[in-house]
Amino acid sequence: MLIPGSTPLFAQETAVVTDTDTIPIGLRKLLKAYPDQLIGATSNSLIWKDSTVMPYDDGIQNKDYEALLLTPDLEDQMSKKYVKGRDFPDPTENVTDTTKIRYTPFFEKMYGSTHAEVHGKLALVRWLPKTQKLKMYVTTVNDIHKKIQAISDELDNHPEWLKYVRNPGGAFNWRSIRGTDRKSAHSFGIAVDINIRYADYWLWDKQMGRPHKYKNRYPIEIIELFEKYGFIWGGKWYYYDTMHFEYRPEMLIDEASL
């Protein structure tokens, strides 16, 4: 059902834009990133194919970083810029400049809100089929399993990268983010951790008394490969997690293409 008094700015039958002037950039990115799930928007809501209407901006301004993590809305999720490629700023220079903010109802609606719902949509991926032949389970929603398989197949053709991606840290895992009650992206089957041996993670540094200072040991070419298929990298977060990749194509869309 639509919010009373609201008028969709996209036609339900064709999802063709009829008026983009009043649709926030964040909503336009979501619509472009997930055409199989979303059919339209109003000036302050997202419309799913089953006619579910999800609010965009809750109207609460100037949230601190804790509030952005614990009680975000869709607008907060889309408010931070992710810089593709190798020319990105030092993530540890600004605590609030992160794309780690997730509006959980959005991901629960798309991928499942329970272990059973998510598990029922998983598919097997053969990780590094030429060299390692490992098994990994990720969601089939948005064809993520096909994208991960394509990434794996490309990695398998680069022997110089294999040490960084063999023995991956994992994919689907129904769990909360360490030290929080918030669901991990792994819970939705949309995330992959590569070889933990080369990982840098802010919490490990904190526990060992090291400074919160950006570091990375993975080749940038691996990061660019994941980004090509719609995955953002945890190495570009303030709370850096360099082994982590998650499917977030909306964060990779160039505004000029909208």
Side-chain angles (χ1 to χ4, degrees):
M1 298 294 292
L2 299 180
I3 298 173
S6 63
T7 302
L9 298 178
F10 288 70
Q12 182 164 343
E13 293 81 4
T14 62
V16 173
V17 180
T18 57
D19 179 7
T20 62
D21 291 343
T22 57
I23 300 179
I25 291 291
L27 280 172
R28 293 188 224 171
K29 289 183 177 181
L30 288 167
L31 289 164
K32 185 170 183 176
Y34 301 103
D36 293 337
Q37 310 291 332
L38 309 171
I39 61 166
T42 70
S43 60
N44 195 35
S45 62
L46 186 64
I47 305 172
W48 296 70
K49 280 199 171 179
D50 66 357
S51 297
T52 295
V53 176
M54 185 171 284
Y56 183 64
D57 185 355
D58 60 14
I60 302 174
Q61 304 298 315
N62 302 317
K63 294 178 183 176
D64 60 22
Y65 185 65
E66 183 177 7
L68 287 171
L69 289 179
L70 297 178
T71 57
D73 55 20
L74 267 179
E75 190 273 336
D76 295 325
Q77 177 178 303
M78 299 301 300
S79 65
K80 305 303 178 183
K81 184 176 181 179
Y82 180 91
V83 180
K84 291 188 290 185
R86 59 191 65 201
D87 297 323
F88 59 95
D90 183 343
T92 57
E93 291 182 354
N94 186 351
V95 66
T96 63
D97 184 16
T98 177
T99 48
K100 195 173 186 178
I101 299 166
R102 304 186 195 96
Y103 180 56
T104 299
F106 176 82
F107 296 94
E108 291 180 333
K109 173 68 177 173
M110 187 169 293
Y111 300 107
S113 59
T114 66
H115 180 282
E117 286 181 354
V118 177
H119 193 271
K121 301 173 184 177
L122 297 180
L124 171 67
V125 170
R126 300 287 181 180
W127 187 252
L128 305 180
K130 292 181 181 178
T131 58
Q132 288 246 295
K133 301 179 182 179
L134 298 177
K135 295 179 180 179
M136 182 183 292
Y137 288 90
V138 296
T139 186
T140 58
V141 179
N142 299 314
D143 284 336
I144 291 177
H145 63 307
K146 295 180 181 178
K147 295 177 174 70
I148 289 291
Q149 189 66 70
I151 292 170
S152 173
D153 293 347
E154 288 199 41
L155 290 170
D156 228 354
N157 291 322
H158 289 273
E160 72 276 20
W161 298 344
L162 291 179
K163 69 178 183 180
Y164 300 106
V165 295
R166 61 167 55 102
N167 303 319
F172 169 70
N173 185 2
W174 184 261
R175 64 174 176 83
S176 297
I177 299 170
R178 184 180 299 185
T180 78
D181 294 326
R182 293 178 287 120
K183 286 190 180 73
S184 164
H186 290 277
S187 295
F188 303 110
I190 66 172
V192 172
D193 290 341
I194 55 178
N195 195 345
I196 192 173
R197 180 179 178 183
Y198 297 94
D200 292 289
Y201 181 44
W202 74 275
L203 188 56
W204 296 341
D205 287 337
K206 179 180 179 181
Q207 291 170 341
M208 297 182 70
R210 297 171 178 166
H212 187 97
K213 186 176 180 181
Y214 178 72
K215 55 188 74 70
N216 168 54
R217 288 176 281 171
Y218 297 113
I220 192 64
E221 291 84 1
I222 293 176
I223 284 80
E224 290 175 324
L225 174 59
F226 272 89
E227 290 178 343
K228 182 176 76 171
Y229 285 94
F231 291 78
I232 64 171
W233 178 44
K236 294 181 179 179
W237 293 339
Y238 175 83
Y239 290 108
Y240 52 88
D241 184 359
T242 64
M243 64 181 159
H244 180 87
F245 296 86
E246 65 182 73
Y247 187 71
R248 298 285 301 282
E250 70 276 18
M251 309 308 299
L252 295 161
I253 293 174
D254 187 347
E255 291 185 13
S257 68
L258 298 173

